[in-house]
Amino acid sequence: MSSTASAPAKPRPAPPRVSLLRTRKEHAQETAQDYVEMIGELIATTGEARVTDLARRLGVTHVTVNRTIQRLRRRGLVTALPYRSIFLTDAGRQLSEESRFRHQVVADFLKSLGVPAAVAYADAEGMEHHVSRETLEAFAKHLRPGRDRAG
Amino acid sequence: MSSTASAPAKPRPAPPRVSLLRTRKEHAQETAQDYVEMIGELIATTGEARVTDLARRLGVTHVTVNRTIQRLRRRGLVTALPYRSIFLTDAGRQLSEESRFRHQVVADFLKSLGVPAAVAYADAEGMEHHVSRETLEAFAKHLRPGRDRAG
DNA sequence: TCCATGTTGTAGCAATGGCTACAATATATT
DNA sequence: AATATATTGTAGCCATTGCTACAACATGGA
Ligand SMILES: [Mn+2]
Ligand SMILES: [Mn+2]
Ligand SMILES: [Mn+2]
Ligand SMILES: [Mn+2]
């Protein structure tokens, strides 16, 4: 290991740096965000959110939806009774609206850069969950350069 | 359900739309990308990539690193022998460089929008895995408006 | 009313990605 | 060389997020 030389020495193993921790925690929240966002959308467009509809729209089986809904129930984001459709709690509705807004801003921002709409929406679906408040504001600012913080 | 009226009718449950499938698949690749990227970085800066160093830098325990390395080995991204340090295969090195480049472009792009460096790097850590070729090119183009595709 | 179909729920499997506790090996210090 | 420390590996736990197969319930049509 130290005869012919080829390794550039070892200037300290370096302290912890990359926070995969944050990424992992975000993953745990991504599902919740995508579900409540879709639940809100279904309620707004069809009047109710059913397990089957969610499964179809999210591209997973009804089994997966069912169990996820139970988790969201435990987290206080939705209410659901056996064989009945799904409702958002106040917290769920709030998260739903935040997620929907952020998703839209990210997608619009990408489109404004010239990314094709379909690609922009697809990318936004994944990127949205990793966009901090600061970055979201930078995106929004870029979208409306004139105004600077009015609702 | 149809007496007092409050639900806006049901204009079809709508066909599958959102591709959580893509998001899931991307998740499956995130770990691989983050690991090979870090392995490449460790080899470049300290001469070798050890389990302990990876654990420290990624913010997980050495146990998690160990098992992940076995998975990467099966996927042909790294080679590793018991009690020896980890090496990248050709495929691993290529993925490492691609990931590193994309990570850097995303981070630089966010910084160019005025996002604080620390936040930009943190956001990029998660966003990078969901950035398509088209979006990456849009980011890169925004960074160097003059040049248009020269290496 | 009866039955077919649609919807929801449950049982049980797999892969991923965390962890603690403990064992084995390698390296460094005396 | 002997011992202490650091590193690596293994056993076994948990939660999440997928799935298929099957059971139960609800609802519309005959
Ligand atoms: Mn969304
Ligand atoms: Mn999403
Ligand atoms: Mn990265
Ligand atoms: Mn990353």
Side-chain angles (χ1 to χ4, degrees):
Chain A
M1 207 21 124
S2 57
S3 52
T4 49
S6 78
K10 291 184 198 171
R12 279 297 178 131
R17 201 182 53 88
V18 170
S19 61
L20 282 215
L21 289 188
R22 193 187 115 158
T23 306
R24 298 301 156 218
K25 283 183 183 174
E26 283 170 344
H27 281 182
Q29 287 191 248
E30 289 184 28
T31 303
Q33 292 174 4
D34 286 332
Y35 271 71
V36 297
E37 189 184 338
M38 185 59 81
I39 290 167
E41 204 174 303
L42 280 172
I43 290 175
T45 59
T46 74
E48 67 177 338
R50 301 185 310 161
V51 171
T52 297
D53 300 335
L54 273 171
R56 245 193 301 264
R57 298 283 290 263
L58 296 174
V60 296
T61 66
H62 79 277
V63 182
T64 302
V65 170
N66 218 296
R67 234 190 352 199
T68 305
I69 293 301
Q70 299 315 312
R71 263 198 301 275
L72 299 184
R73 225 168 52 81
R74 271 185 262 129
R75 290 190 206 173
L77 293 171
V78 306
T79 59
L81 290 170
Y83 294 101
R84 318 239 57 194
S85 66
I86 299 142
F87 299 92
L88 293 171
T89 63
D90 286 348
R93 195 161 15 247
Q94 186 177 336
L95 182 61
S96 178
E97 281 158 20
E98 281 171 12
S99 300
R100 185 187 178 78
F101 174 74
R102 197 179 43 196
H103 195 152
Q104 194 65 49
V105 170
V106 173
D108 287 350
F109 175 75
L110 294 181
K111 281 192 288 181
S112 81
L113 288 181
V115 176
V119 177
Y121 275 109
D123 284 12
E125 186 63 60
M127 289 172 62
E128 57 173 346
H129 309 287
H130 306 277
V131 169
S132 64
R133 187 182 54 75
E134 288 92 334
T135 296
L136 189 68
E137 281 176 11
F139 284 4
K141 191 176 168 190
H142 185 273
L143 282 174
R144 36 167 176 56
R147 320 159 96 202
D148 57 299
R149 214 33 185 93
Chain B
M1 207 17 127
S2 58
S3 51
T4 49
S6 79
K10 291 183 196 169
R12 279 308 182 115
R17 201 182 52 87
V18 170
S19 61
L20 283 215
L21 289 187
R22 195 189 112 158
T23 306
R24 297 303 155 216
K25 283 183 183 173
E26 282 169 345
H27 282 182
Q29 287 191 250
E30 288 184 28
T31 303
Q33 291 174 3
D34 287 332
Y35 271 71
V36 297
E37 189 183 337
M38 185 59 81
I39 290 168
E41 205 173 301
L42 280 171
I43 290 175
T45 60
T46 75
E48 66 177 341
R50 301 187 310 161
V51 170
T52 296
D53 301 335
L54 273 171
R56 243 193 303 265
R57 300 282 292 259
L58 296 174
V60 295
T61 65
H62 78 277
V63 183
T64 301
V65 170
N66 219 297
R67 235 187 354 193
T68 304
I69 294 300
Q70 298 315 315
R71 263 200 298 277
L72 298 183
R73 227 169 49 82
R74 273 186 260 128
R75 292 190 206 174
L77 293 171
V78 306
T79 59
L81 291 170
Y83 294 100
R84 319 241 56 196
S85 65
I86 299 142
F87 298 92
L88 293 171
T89 62
D90 287 348
R93 193 159 20 246
Q94 186 176 335
L95 181 61
S96 177
E97 281 158 19
E98 281 171 11
S99 300
R100 185 187 178 77
F101 174 74
R102 198 178 42 195
H103 196 153
Q104 194 65 48
V105 169
V106 173
D108 287 349
F109 176 75
L110 293 181
K111 281 192 288 184
S112 81
L113 288 181
V115 176
V119 177
Y121 276 108
D123 285 12
E125 186 62 62
M127 290 172 62
E128 58 174 346
H129 309 286
H130 306 276
V131 169
S132 64
R133 186 181 53 76
E134 288 93 333
T135 295
L136 188 68
E137 281 176 11
F139 285 4
K141 190 176 169 188
H142 185 274
L143 281 174
R144 37 165 175 57
R147 320 161 94 203
D148 56 296
R149 221 17 190 108

